[in-house]
Amino acid sequence: MKKYSRKLAALAAAASLALTGTLAGCSSANNDHKIRIGIKFDQPGLGYQDGSQYTGFDVDVARYIAGKLGYSEDQIEFVESPSANRENMLNNGQVDMIFATYSISDSRKKTVDFAGPYYTAGQDLLVRADNTDIHGPDDLNGKNLCSVTGSTSAQKVQDKFAKNVNLVKQNSYSDCVVALNGGVVDAVTTDDIILAGLAATKANKGKLKVVGAPFTTERYGVGLPKGTDKCEAVNKAINEMVADGTWERLVTKYTEGTGYHYNTEKNPPSPSASCA
Ligand code: GLU
């Protein structure tokens, strides 16, 4: 009897091992492992931290893609990735992926890979609601303009308008908004969807307005370490997200009530299989 139950226990252990192996084999993610995803923490509607909650279009797109790669919600660890730190964070292994209003650019592609794009925005201007003389980048002569260190927004202004504009660089767009509300700068520049989210917060509503004349094309990519083998799987997941209606639902959810409408000629993007 004793011998029989020992045998049974051994059989049960072997069966459970085999089952664990099969389950692990089903998923592309190791159940013990977390995936660290870089997002912004202070861009309402895109990447926003509120206590232990993370919300925004980038955050929910990241959740969807991670799910398609086999990660459950509790395997995701969100890590703040400010504009200037994104390439470094991918290169030194602090994050596995970045979803942070991260424009695909040739200079960034020298050090990181991009899947996507999953969204196309355009650079615009944010001014105080009572402003009447700034309608586009050509009206910025002699003005103080705020943008963020390490962003394509600051780079483009420097390349195109540096001679006539006094560029004030901050670490985040929320810091730029403080400077705008305080009268320290005349305008803030970055992507239209970011500016719309900032202007729509309770604190800023009615005080700030987006000019609404985008002057660049910003293709948001999923930042990945150089040499990644994940582009194909991520791009497949992005195309599924568009096809099953999730993309439209998420854009609507996070821009509703801001007065912002995405550019329907450039959205939704349809990434090809390989890296962007
Ligand atoms: N999309 C631009 C960039 O990647 C501006 C937004 C940002 O700084 O995250 O630089």
Side-chain angles (χ1 to χ4, degrees), residues 34-79:
K34 292 217 172 243
I35 183 163
R36 287 152 311 157
I37 299 183
I39 57 164
K40 295 292 181 69
F41 275 14
D42 63 348
Q43 292 180 190
L46 286 153
Y48 193 73
Q49 185 196 37
D50 186 5
S52 60
Q53 304 293 310
Y54 300 95
T55 58
F57 177 68
D58 279 350
V59 174
D60 281 359
V61 168
R63 287 188 174 114
Y64 181 98
I65 306 289
K68 290 281 177 183
L69 296 181
Y71 292 93
S72 63
E73 175 75 39
D74 55 12
Q75 285 178 298
I76 300 174
E77 188 188 326
F78 287 114
V79 180

Side-chain angles (χ1 to χ4, degrees), residues 40 83 86 100-103 108 151-153 173 190-191 194:
K40 295 292 181 69
S83 295
R86 292 174 291 200
T101 58
Y102 198 9
S103 296
R108 288 173 179 163
S151 67
T152 53
S153 322
Y173 299 106
T190 189
D191 307 332
I194 300 175

